[in-house]
Amino acid sequence: MEEYKPDVMLAQEINFYSETNLGGFSVINISSMGYGTAIISNEQITDVNKVHAPHPDFFFVKKTIIARTKNIQFVSFHGYNGQPFKNVDKLVDHVQAILSVLCPGPTVFAGDFNTWSQGHLDAVKGVMEENGFRHAYTWPYPGRDSPLDHAFLRGVTLENSTHYESASDHFGAILDLSYD
């Protein structure tokens, strides 16, 4: 984080044990099992909404954090995994549950969507496009042909993007954005 100095950062799969400095996150929705999300911003964060997935993954429920900063609504998303069956319908239900509580206007909806197949990605893209989002960026997951991580934008323009290796099992992404 020090190297890139982001204005806003979205994080997924965080927990009390893996994050040594949770105080740095402006808003968090975490669990001890490691499936929480967070948003950090260098400006004030408002309109915080913590949403749980409608279906549990085994014995835990995925958590999403939604917040507004810099006049943009941000969604830090960790999608329904569905192991071992990778159920597409439950992933779409999870995305729709988040979409149902969003406010209109510029929004960045990004994170680990757990799109294990092209069918998963197509289903997610369909529901997102129906709600005014466009699929703006996908970044690779090490060792997989199908990416799990995506950014969808509404009312925001992607100017530049890249990904980087991190301590996580996922790569991180850097998005340079603009909006009117």
Side-chain angles (χ1 to χ4, degrees), residues 31-180:
S31 70
S32 61
M33 295 185 70
Y35 300 97
T37 56
I39 299 174
I40 187 170
S41 175
N42 60 9
E43 290 187 13
Q44 182 180 4
I45 289 181
T46 62
D47 304 325
V48 176
N49 193 350
K50 298 177 180 183
V51 182
H52 292 174
H55 307 285
D57 256 328
F58 295 113
F59 303 107
F60 54 87
V61 176
K62 298 284 179 79
K63 295 169 175 58
T64 298
I65 195 87
I66 303 165
R68 182 174 303 280
T69 185
K70 299 181 176 292
N71 296 316
I72 300 173
Q73 183 173 221
F74 289 88
V75 179
S76 183
F77 184 74
H78 186 202
Y80 178 82
N81 194 315
Q83 295 289 359
F85 305 110
K86 301 179 175 92
N87 186 302
V88 174
D89 294 335
K90 289 183 178 179
L91 173 59
V92 169
D93 286 350
H94 188 184
V95 171
Q96 288 176 321
I98 304 307
L99 289 168
S100 73
V101 299
L102 295 181
C103 298
T107 306
V108 175
F109 192 137
D112 178 0
F113 280 79
N114 282 313
T115 49
W116 292 102
S117 69
Q118 189 62 46
H120 283 81
L121 181 54
D122 291 344
V124 168
K125 277 179 160 179
V127 73
M128 294 297 285
E129 288 171 0
E130 288 171 8
N131 286 272
F133 286 86
R134 66 178 168 55
H135 189 219
Y137 187 61
T138 293
W139 55 104
Y141 181 85
R144 288 190 46 84
D145 292 332
S146 299
L148 303 177
D149 304 300
H150 309 276
F152 292 85
L153 306 177
R154 180 178 67 194
V156 179
T157 301
L158 179 64
E159 300 292 343
N160 193 16
S161 58
T162 190
H163 64 275
Y164 62 93
E165 290 187 41
S166 68
S168 170
D169 61 326
H170 293 254
F171 288 147
I174 299 172
L175 309 177
D176 291 327
L177 306 170
S178 64
Y179 73 101
D180 294 331

Side-chain angles (χ1 to χ4, degrees), residues 11 14-31 37-40:
I14 66 166
N15 67 29
F16 291 116
Y17 306 109
S18 66
E19 305 304 316
T20 57
N21 186 15
L22 286 175
F25 289 104
S26 301
V27 291
I28 55 176
N29 192 7
I30 62 174
S31 70
T37 56
I39 299 174
I40 187 170

